[in-house]
Structure formats: structure tokens, C-alpha cells
């Protein structure tokens, strides 16, 4: 069974601080996606990483895919209260276009205080 | 920007009743999915659907569940006889051939 563990589960920081969220697995994924989810809403896609070692930047957010495609990280620079939310990583489990269900991580709930 | 839509946003039903959750995927997408999220738990895969048939289903997706694409736009999830443990948020997602999955806002199903 493929599992994705995220750490930390909860993170409370002050505005302006930097933070990193980790997403780890013993399984290899064909790609990994990061989503943000607000209470009572669906996950909203932030980024997809596909190549081992890949780094993608989205304004103050930096996403990295591990060389072995088993882990990923999300780094936020100078966090703002608007970054508050639940961050989910999700790995695509299959290597065929027809079998790429997403395996979701356990989630990291981020609270940024002004 | 195109988005996945789902109806209803909230459905309350009694145990044993049938429910149909509806989704309108993004129009040029070809792959469709249902996931569910029990309160406080992870998002879990239920089923994937392509070319008018199920591609893969999880252990959760037993004989009480079925999916259908009755026309060119809708994608439905039917639960034949709901149980208390079916209470959850149900999310529809869709994608193009090589793209990421985009999720709808979800339907909150409450079984009493």
C-alpha cells in the first residue's frame, strides 16, 4: 500500500517567517502534486512536479521533488496570513495514463499569525 | 477559467436511501474521478473513469457504488443504499490526457 506522510501535521508561525513542509514515502511516484484546501472546499492545485530533482517556484512558494521521486517539499518564504490553510501533497501512483489515481498525504495545517 | 462543478453542495439522506451525486467536469477533459474525505481524514480515491468505463476502483467502491456518464457533460456517482459510514465530502476531479487533476468544490453527504 502506498502511503504519503506529511510533516509537520500542524504549524503555527508569525507573519514573515519561513517554513518547510515535507512529504515522504517509501514508494516511487510518477508525479507529485501539491494542493491547498480550505474548510468545506475542494483541493486547489498549486503545482505538479514530474522529474526527480525538479524545483518549481510559485511566487514565495518553492516546491522540490526528490531525486528518487519518493519525497517532496514545499518551502514558503516570508509567510503571510493569506497562506493559512491545509496543504496536501498527492502522488500519482500509476505509470499509465489510465491508472493514475492520486494518493493523498496526511496534510499540513498552516496558521500564519499577523 | 473552466472549473469542475458539483451538485448538490450538501445532501442529507436517511440510511438505506439511494443518492446520486452529480459532477460536470471541465469540458475538454477525458479522465474522471471520484474521491471522498471523511471528516478529519485523508482524501481517498474511489474510482477512475475513462472512455465510458471504470479504469480502476478502490476497495471502498463496492457493489453499492456505481458511476455513469449519462451524457456528454455529466458524471455521476450513485450510492444505492447509504450507510452511516458513507457520510463524507465527495469530490469529483477531471483531467486531460497528460494533465493534472482538477477538483470540484465537493458534495457534503450526511447520512442519518
Amino acid at each position: 500500500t502506498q502511503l504519503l506522510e506529511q510533516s509537520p501535521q500542524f504549524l503555527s508561525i508569525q507573519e514573515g517567517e519561513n517554513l518547510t513542509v515535507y512529504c515522504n514515502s517509501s514508494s516511487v511516484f510518477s508525479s507529485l502534486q501539491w494542493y491547498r484546501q480550505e474548510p468545506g472546499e475542494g483541493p486547489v492545485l498549486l503545482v505538479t512536479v514530474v522529474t526527480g530533482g525538479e524545483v518549481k517556484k510559485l511566487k514565495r512558494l518553492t516546491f522540490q521533488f526528490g531525486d528518487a521521486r519518493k519525497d517532496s517539499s514545499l518551502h514558503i518564504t516570508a509567510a503571510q496570513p493569506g497562506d493559512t490553510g491545509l496543504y496536501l501533497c498527492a502522488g500519482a501512483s500509476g505509470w499509465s495514463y489510465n491508472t493514475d489515481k492520486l494518493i493523498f498525504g496526511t496534510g499540513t495545517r498552516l496558521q500564519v499569525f499577523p | 477559467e473552466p472549473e469542475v462543478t458539483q451538485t448538490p453542495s450538501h445532501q442529507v439522506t436517511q440510511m438505506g436511501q439511494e443518492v446520486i451525486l452529480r459532477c460536470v467536469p471541465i469540458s475538454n477533459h477525458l479522465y474522471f474521478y471520484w474521491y471522498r474525505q471523511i471528516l478529519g481524514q485523508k482524501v481517498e480515491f474511489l474510482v477512475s473513469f475513462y472512455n465510458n468505463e471504470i479504469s480502476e476502483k478502490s476497495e471502498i467502491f463496492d457493489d453499492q457504488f456505481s458511476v455513469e456518464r449519462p451524457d456528454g457533460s455529466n458524471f455521476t456517482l450513485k450510492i444505492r443504499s447509504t450507510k452511516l459510514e458513507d457520510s463524507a465530502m465527495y469530490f469529483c476531479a477531471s483531467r486531460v490526457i497528460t494533465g493534472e487533476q482538477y477538483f470540484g468544490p465537493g458534495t457534503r453527504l450526511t447520512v442519518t
Side-chain angles (χ1 to χ4, degrees), chain B residues 88-101:
Chain B
M89 283 288 284
Y90 287 81
F91 296 108
C92 173
S94 70
R95 69 171 175 90
V96 293
I97 290 178
T98 58
E100 300 96 341
Q101 293 183 31

Side-chain angles (χ1 to χ4, degrees), chain B residues 5-60:
Chain B
T5 59
Q6 290 184 242
T7 54
S9 56
H10 190 190
Q11 173 91 49
V12 181
T13 190
Q14 288 191 323
M15 200 165 50
Q17 295 296 303
E18 174 183 288
V19 294
I20 298 176
L21 310 183
R22 301 179 194 280
C23 168
V24 179
I26 295 172
S27 63
N28 63 333
H29 286 193
L30 300 175
Y31 295 81
F32 313 111
Y33 306 80
W34 285 100
Y35 293 81
R36 80 171 186 189
Q37 186 177 33
I38 295 171
L39 187 63
Q41 297 187 22
K42 293 193 295 188
V43 177
E44 302 174 287
F45 168 78
L46 290 179
V47 66
S48 58
F49 190 86
Y50 168 71
N51 202 25
N52 283 318
E53 59 182 28
I54 290 174
S55 308
E56 186 177 0
K57 58 184 181 179
S58 71
E59 292 176 355
I60 304 166

Side-chain angles (χ1 to χ4, degrees), chain B residues 63-82:
Chain B
D63 292 344
Q64 293 302 311
F65 290 86
S66 63
V67 289
E68 195 176 39
R69 189 156 160 81
D71 53 44
S73 59
N74 289 286
F75 180 50
T76 62
L77 174 68
K78 182 195 290 186
I79 309 175
R80 254 178 282 281
S81 177
T82 50

Side-chain angles (χ1 to χ4, degrees), chain A residues 45-114:
Chain A
L45 181 68
L46 296 174
V47 80
T48 298
V49 285
V50 179
T51 307
E54 182 176 4
V55 176
K56 277 193 175 176
K57 292 195 175 191
L58 190 68
K59 296 183 181 176
R60 293 177 294 101
L61 278 59
T62 302
F63 304 86
Q64 185 161 8
F65 201 11
D67 291 341
R69 295 162 108 160
K70 293 182 180 180
D71 54 85
S72 181
S73 63
L74 157 60
H75 182 80
I76 301 180
T77 303
Q80 298 176 3
D83 296 327
T84 295
L86 179 66
Y87 290 83
L88 303 171
C89 63
S93 65
W95 300 85
S96 159
Y97 294 137
N98 287 357
T99 59
D100 70 338
K101 68 185 181 199
L102 290 178
I103 307 295
F104 275 84
T106 45
T108 295
R109 188 165 297 283
L110 172 65
Q111 175 92 51
V112 182
F113 292 98

